[in-house]
Structures are given as C-alpha cells and as structure tokens.
C-alpha cells in the first residue's frame, strides 16, 4: 500500500476510533464549527462595526458563496476527469 493511501486509511481509523469513544459528536466538533463559521463574519466585518444581524446576514451570503465555489470546482474536476475540461472555476486563465 502506498504511503498516501496508508495515511488516509490510518486517518479514517483514527476518526472512527475517536467517534466511537465520544458520547456527543456534535459537542466535540462545536468549537471547530464555530471557528469555521466565524471566519465568514470576520471576512464581511473585519472591524466588528456592523450590527450583529447585518453581520450575520452578510456572513451567511459569504458562507453560501464559499460552498457554491467549492461545488463549482468539484464539477470542474469531475468534467476534467471525464476529459471534457470546462471553464476554470476560479476564473483564471
């Protein structure tokens, strides 16, 4: 087994072992989710001057943009694997 494949298998085993011993997986991952979502609030309001509702509204749009960009990149990669190419999802040439 190649080294990258072995590392991936070991990581999967570790993740399953972690979740097998964790009574509340959502609580275990809550700090990471909060940090990830906080990224979008900092992106749209780096100085923290917006009203919290407006900051949340803008952050939600930034989060949706992020995931739509990932979906586009994924579609592009699938097309490239099929040999069709397609537009560059980042818009670079």
């Amino acid at each position: 087994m190649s080294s990258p494949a072995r590392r991936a298998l070991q990581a999967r085993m570790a993740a399953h072992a972690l979740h097998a011993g964790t009574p509340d997986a959502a609580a275990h991952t809550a700090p990471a989710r909060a940090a990830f979502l906080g990224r979008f609030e900092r992106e749209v309001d780096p100085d923290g001057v917006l009203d919290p509702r407006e900051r949340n509204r803008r952050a939600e749009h930034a989060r949706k943009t992020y995931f739509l960009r990932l979906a586009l990149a994924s579609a592009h990669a699938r097309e490239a694997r099929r040999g069709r190419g397609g537009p560059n999802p980042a818009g670079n040439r």
Side-chain angles (χ1 to χ4, degrees):
M1 185 180 302
S2 69
S3 182
R6 178 171 288 159
R7 283 194 304 272
L9 182 57
Q10 289 172 331
R12 288 176 56 202
M13 289 170 34
H16 285 295
L18 172 72
H19 289 288
T22 303
D24 186 357
H28 179 76
T29 59
R33 277 194 316 279
F36 177 70
L37 295 175
R39 159 195 175 180
F40 300 109
E41 289 191 1
R42 289 187 303 278
E43 180 182 306
V44 299
D45 188 18
D47 299 323
V49 297
L50 291 174
D51 175 74
R53 287 181 299 189
E54 178 64 13
R55 181 174 44 248
N56 186 51
R57 184 190 71 78
R58 291 183 188 190
E60 183 64 19
H61 284 290
R63 185 187 69 80
K64 287 179 181 181
T65 300
Y66 173 85
F67 282 108
L68 287 170
R69 189 172 286 123
L70 284 180
L72 181 60
S74 177
H76 175 70
R78 286 191 306 275
E79 289 173 356
R81 278 195 305 271
R82 286 187 227 126
R84 286 195 231 146
N88 184 334
N92 300 334
R93 295 180 195 249

